[in-house]
Amino acid sequence: MIKYLFQPFEIKGRRLQNRIVMPALASFLIEDDGSITDKTVEHYRRRAAGGPAMVIVEAHAVSEEGIVSLHQARIFDDRFIEGLSRIARVMKSEGALPAIQIHHSGRQTSSRVIHRKPLAPSPLPCPTIRGEVEPLSLEGIQEIIRKFGDSAVRAVQAGFELIEIHGAHGYLINQFISKFSNIREDAYGGDTARRARFAVDIVKEVRKRVGEDFPISFKISAQEFVPDGLGVEESIEILKLLVEAGIDLVQVSAGNDATPEWICQPMFMEKACLANSAAMIKKALPIPVMAVGRINDPLVADAIIGEGKADLVCLGRGLLADPEMPKKAKEGRLDDIRICIACNTCMESIFRKGRVECLVNPTLGREKEMELRPAEKRKKVMIVGGGPGGLHAGWVAALRGHDVHLYEKDSRLGGQLNLGSVTKYKKEILSLIEFHKKQVEKAGIHIHLNAEVTLDTVTSEKPDVVILSTGAKPVLPHVPGIHRSIVVGLSEVLNGNPAEKAIAVVIGGGATGCEVAHHLAEHGSSVTIVEQLPKIAMNLESITRKVLLQELKDRGVRFVTGRKLSRVEETGVVVTAEDGAETFIEADTVVIAVGNKPDNRLYEELKDLGIPLYQIGDCLEPRSAKAAISEAATIGRSI
């Protein structure tokens, strides 16, 4: 039961209807010239309409050399005010307090983006982007401080009612306040107070420009998890100085450019993993505190407020996954919430595609074009396969008014994601299955379990449309000994408790192989991963990959790369290098995880019937589940 989350709150005379805040998250819906589009406005309107008390619009660069990417929002010129005012107006009209974050990237950008050397407090390059930087002069520091003040004035003119200064995540202000990135020896470097001076001066400038009654928030990485990085105790010292300078609210985050897993936490990490540091800061400061960090569930958020760890909670990725989460939680419709599963698809899509996407919410960023419209003609739709793709397609089709019949050959819905959610750190994937099962039930879809569909089934049922979501079959290497008793499939490992103290070899170092190896190692097995490529887990999102590799190393998993399986013997496997050299690896269990091939048998039987026929991809991995759900969302809207 939710007790505390919907209590009102007040910041400097601004009333918040509840304790939920959407923090600043890059939408990648900004044009290359920084202009705001209808898509940008609609994105923020949807989030505000979902019921959070406050929405902080994504980080806005205060100067031209301070942008991170061409898709970053800008506020360094008056020409941006008109577009920003559209966002502020629409959010306010939906009942959310419109807030905005102002920001400078410092060294954490590329010369390819800003066409000059990035600015920094010291001659230390960004550890991830690298490249030469230009240390700021005293005159340069003062110029940036003024630009923060100028940007704050524009934010007020655009209609925003709270300004947040981005002092976290390895960007310029964070670079100044941390010994990890600041080795200056002047008035802006050295001890804690001098390293904090840049942030203090910015807060004072913003306060002077916006007046005493306007609320100012500061976002800090209270822990950086690097040598010489910030910890909670030093962050408290810095924040006390910032309170004196004029901040009214603090958002307690973590991580920097070297530790991105603490900025956008993958599913390995516990929910609300930063709430305790927020609680420590709340005890030490006289101003309200916002907690952030894998808070994806209104019950978890409610507990943070109820336990006094924070005054407000930030639901970021959770509101990308389901913008109506606050409204649904207030109405007690917890089963209707699409929970963020922390797969970091949103981060992966930004870096690989230049746009933000979500595994569980395929309409993210294209809400208008993906609006559901009633079907022109009611059709009988047959869905074959009860994985997330089939479930989503059926749900969407039913919402549009079609008569949907879903067939699943297994005794339960969920498909390969039932296997994919077995390992300890992927349990939350079950929420994706449960959400779809609930929606399918509410939509009145006819479910047929233990029902293998054949050509005869289709011809006798006479559907108007058939959607195949039949998944895939595991690939087995064609090598001698592959059918020996020590060789097991993924389902044998994941459908029960793996044997403890086994000596296991996992053939295949992709995402699936690594996750199975992690599962085996957690149960006490000695595990070796064999991968033909020079590196493992290359198909994983980079933050998840970093954490997973460290987890595997911590559990003693051995990596053998650049080798392929040649044969399976009674007591192990023989693997071969590119030069033909053979190596024997002892094992009593050999797990094959080299991939899947589509199960197209039914498609081949049905393709000549003349019935509209669609296919949706398999979904063992979250990355593939994203493709399946995305395809399902499109097909369900088109039939």
Side-chain angles (χ1 to χ4, degrees), residues 256-490:
N256 63 24
D257 37 325
T259 52
E261 65 273 19
W262 287 101
I263 297 173
C264 196
Q265 302 87 4
M267 56 179 78
F268 287 96
M269 294 186 169
E270 292 183 11
K271 293 181 181 182
C273 53
L274 302 178
N276 288 335
S277 59
M280 292 171 65
I281 288 170
K282 179 172 166 55
K283 285 181 181 179
L285 296 185
I287 62 172
V289 168
M290 290 189 281
V292 70
R294 204 143 130 60
I295 305 170
N296 66 343
D297 182 329
L299 294 174
V300 173
D302 189 64
I304 291 170
I305 302 297
E307 292 166 12
K309 292 182 176 181
D311 302 283
L312 302 167
V313 288
C314 294
L315 304 179
R317 288 175 291 174
L319 292 181
L320 297 183
D322 192 338
E324 294 187 333
M325 180 196 288
K327 185 182 293 183
K328 291 175 181 177
K330 188 174 183 179
E331 294 170 358
R333 296 189 292 124
L334 300 182
D335 289 342
D336 289 335
I337 295 173
R338 283 180 299 202
I339 295 292
C340 166
I341 60 173
C343 63
N344 271 350
T345 292
C346 47
M347 294 295 292
E348 178 187 36
S349 61
I350 284 174
F351 291 124
R352 296 191 181 182
K353 297 183 179 181
R355 63 178 185 266
V356 66
E357 297 177 345
C358 176
L359 187 154
V360 304
N361 179 11
T363 68
L364 176 64
R366 45 186 186 147
E367 286 87 354
K368 279 285 189 185
E369 62 194 81
M370 295 289 280
E371 278 184 337
L372 282 178
R373 294 179 176 85
E376 293 181 6
K377 178 184 177 183
R378 179 177 167 86
K379 298 175 182 176
K380 182 177 182 180
V381 179
M382 174 182 279
I383 311 278
V384 184
L391 289 168
H392 196 88
W395 174 43
V396 171
L399 289 177
R400 295 183 59 230
H402 292 305
D403 176 24
V404 181
H405 295 254
L406 189 148
Y407 295 77
E408 168 55 50
K409 65 181 179 182
D410 202 351
S411 60
R412 58 178 178 167
L413 296 171
Q416 295 287 357
L417 278 192
N418 288 313
L419 286 181
S421 61
V422 168
T423 59
K424 179 181 176 182
Y425 76 95
K426 290 173 69 178
K427 291 290 186 188
E428 277 180 85
I429 293 177
L430 287 172
S431 70
L432 179 59
I433 301 171
E434 293 304 316
F435 169 78
H436 278 96
K437 284 164 64 175
K438 180 70 174 179
Q439 303 315 307
V440 160
E441 177 188 326
K442 289 179 67 175
I445 292 175
H446 307 281
I447 302 295
H448 308 268
L449 296 177
N450 299 304
E452 180 106 33
V453 173
T454 65
L455 175 61
D456 289 342
T457 312
V458 177
T459 54
S460 64
E461 290 296 324
K462 295 182 174 60
D464 299 304
V465 178
V466 177
I467 299 175
L468 300 178
S469 182
T470 49
K473 297 179 293 186
V475 173
L476 279 180
H478 296 293
V479 298
I482 195 65
H483 297 295
R484 288 185 185 274
S485 60
I486 67 169
V487 178
V488 298
L490 295 174

Side-chain angles (χ1 to χ4, degrees), residues 48-74:
M54 177 166 66
V55 176
I56 307 175
V57 180
E58 61 198 275
H60 283 64
V62 301
S63 66
E64 200 160 4
E65 84 287 340
I67 65 172
V68 177
S69 81
L70 295 178
H71 293 289
Q72 185 178 355
R74 282 89 142 170

